[in-house]
Amino acid sequence: MKLKNTLGLAIGTIVAATSFGALAQGQGAVEIEGFAKKEQFDSARNFKNNGNLFGGSVGYFLTDDVELRLGYDEVHNVRSDDSRKIKGANLARDALSHFNCPGDMLRPYVSAGFSDQSIARWSGGRNRHLANVGTGGKLYFTENFYARAGVEAQYNIDQGDTEWAPKRGMGVNFGGGSKKVEAAPVEAAPAVCSDSDNDGVCDNVDKCPNTPANVTVDANGCPAVAEVVRVQLDVKFDFDKSVVKPNSYRDIKNLADFMKQYPQTTTTVEGHTDSVGPDAYNQKLSERRANAVKQVLVNQYGVGANRVSSVGYGETRPVADNATDAGRAVNRRVEAEVEAQAK
């Protein structure tokens, strides 16, 4: 019956995932998981066989990478050397540190924490205080649904023995704090010199008395004669990654310096992918890439967040042939362009 309940929990998480919508992973996210593990008991326990443990956990992401998790599982199908049935339960409090970025398909992790375990026979029982360490990986099929595989070791603080268990689970992730894409501010139209007395000359005669009427002027009423200057950005990414590579920082800094030189400029950072993978996944990946470059501009180089927008186009705008490795490498990119008028 308990096995059926556990399977029901796992199936329930799949159904629940369809109702949470496309909510992002990362800081503030909650993960709910059903899992099973095979406990390799220490010989000092005098158990005839190893145990099947089934349970569930709930976790909360303090940051994009650090998760606090509370887990509970029960012992099944274990007997002592004298064939008596073994019962037990385990309550664990662990912290997980994840690698890669929120939204990446694969997120390896390491974990550490403590647990309290109660193992009983037909009557009586013993409480054990354990220190836990583990490692593994989570494979995200969608933004909200993942499978996990790993291994855990438990050190008995009271008696000094160690046990370990391979573990696998399925869960849902929802409620993360992704940042919304900011719309580019609307710039005011250029000033046009007025001619209220119809004499063919700009009304503002203080600085440029010979300025013709109905031309674009600067703050002094003088003709805004300027040349267009432009800077472009093209950042490349590794396959299925949204992490900005160190060799791209110089180009991003050049863009930031240009925008600081011309404080009225704004830009839209555009993310792209190659054609490998589902369309929906590539759309999300392109958005993460664009946002990653935006964060470097804003957080590292001090460009105002209201001056940088980010948008993802998925695989819809290739600039090279996706049938080749070289072409796909070119298409895994983020682009931006800033244009200003300089006298």
Side-chain angles (χ1 to χ4, degrees):
M1 180 62 70
K2 292 182 179 178
L3 176 58
K4 292 181 179 179
N5 291 340
T6 304
L7 293 175
L9 174 63
I11 295 171
T13 60
I14 300 174
V15 175
T18 63
S19 65
F20 289 131
L23 300 173
Q25 304 162 19
Q27 183 176 6
V30 175
E31 286 192 344
I32 299 175
E33 180 182 310
F35 62 81
K37 60 183 180 180
K38 186 74 171 180
E39 187 82 8
Q40 310 298 308
F41 291 118
D42 186 84
S43 58
R45 294 210 197 226
N46 296 320
F47 292 164
K48 182 180 295 185
N49 59 310
N50 295 314
N52 298 316
L53 280 69
F54 302 99
S57 66
V58 59
Y60 177 79
F61 279 79
L62 291 178
T63 70
D64 285 349
D65 302 320
V66 177
E67 175 189 9
L68 297 183
R69 185 181 66 189
L70 179 65
Y72 175 82
D73 57 71
E74 294 183 346
V75 177
H76 291 261
N77 304 324
V78 182
R79 293 187 178 274
S80 65
D81 287 343
D82 54 6
S83 297
R84 286 183 292 179
K85 183 182 293 185
I86 302 299
K87 296 181 180 179
N90 188 70
L91 180 64
R93 287 87 64 194
D94 294 312
L96 282 71
S97 179
H98 297 77
F99 303 97
N100 292 343
C101 295
D104 284 350
M105 181 177 291
L106 178 63
R107 297 207 73 188
Y109 69 87
V110 293
S111 65
F114 298 93
S115 60
D116 298 312
Q117 187 181 85
S118 174
I119 295 292
R121 298 189 182 183
W122 288 108
S123 63
R126 293 178 296 174
N127 291 324
R128 295 160 57 94
H129 304 289
L130 308 171
N132 312 322
V133 293
T135 185
K138 297 177 180 177
L139 182 65
Y140 288 87
F141 300 109
T142 69
E143 281 284 322
N144 306 105
F145 179 53
Y146 70 91
R148 179 164 71 97
V151 63
E152 294 180 351
Q154 295 180 314
Y155 174 75
N156 186 335
I157 299 174
D158 304 317
Q159 299 179 354
D161 55 75
T162 302
E163 298 174 345
W164 63 279
K167 187 174 183 179
R168 60 274 189 200
M170 301 179 73
V172 291
N173 173 300
F174 58 96
S178 63
K179 298 183 183 299
K180 296 181 180 179
V181 175
E182 299 175 5
V186 178
E187 295 184 355
V192 176
C193 183
S194 62
D195 180 22
S196 59
D197 53 9
N198 296 314
D199 63 355
V201 178
C202 176
D203 290 341
N204 185 348
V205 296
D206 294 335
K207 301 291 184 179
C208 299
N210 296 319
T211 300
N214 300 319
V215 300
T216 301
V217 294
D218 60 19
N220 296 320
C222 299
V225 178
E227 64 176 339
V228 174
V229 292
R230 180 182 295 110
V231 63
Q232 293 177 308
L233 176 70
D234 188 4
V235 177
K236 297 297 190 296
F237 289 81
D238 291 333
F239 176 71
D240 195 31
K241 299 294 183 183
S242 57
V243 178
V244 178
K245 294 189 286 189
N247 60 7
S248 296
Y249 275 70
R250 180 185 296 272
D251 291 337
I252 299 175
K253 184 179 185 300
N254 289 340
L255 175 63
D257 291 342
F258 183 91
M259 295 185 70
K260 291 176 182 178
Q261 181 180 355
Y262 299 97
Q264 302 304 314
T265 59
T266 62
T267 188
T268 298
V269 181
E270 301 176 351
H272 305 271
T273 72
D274 59 29
S275 61
V276 178
D279 293 354
Y281 180 83
N282 284 338
Q283 176 62 35
K284 293 291 184 181
L285 179 58
S286 68
E287 293 170 3
R288 294 196 299 273
R289 287 174 174 170
N291 193 57
V293 172
K294 174 184 175 179
Q295 294 308 312
V296 174
L297 282 168
V298 173
N299 297 332
Q300 183 152 340
Y301 295 127
V303 179
N306 62 331
R307 299 175 60 196
V308 185
S309 300
S310 62
V311 63
Y313 291 108
E315 60 186 74
T316 61
R317 297 187 177 184
V319 293
D321 188 358
N322 274 311
T324 67
D325 290 340
R328 289 190 293 271
V330 172
N331 289 330
R332 296 191 294 267
R333 70 196 191 280
V334 162
E335 296 176 329
E337 181 176 293
V338 181
E339 185 176 281
Q341 286 188 332
K343 292 185 178 180

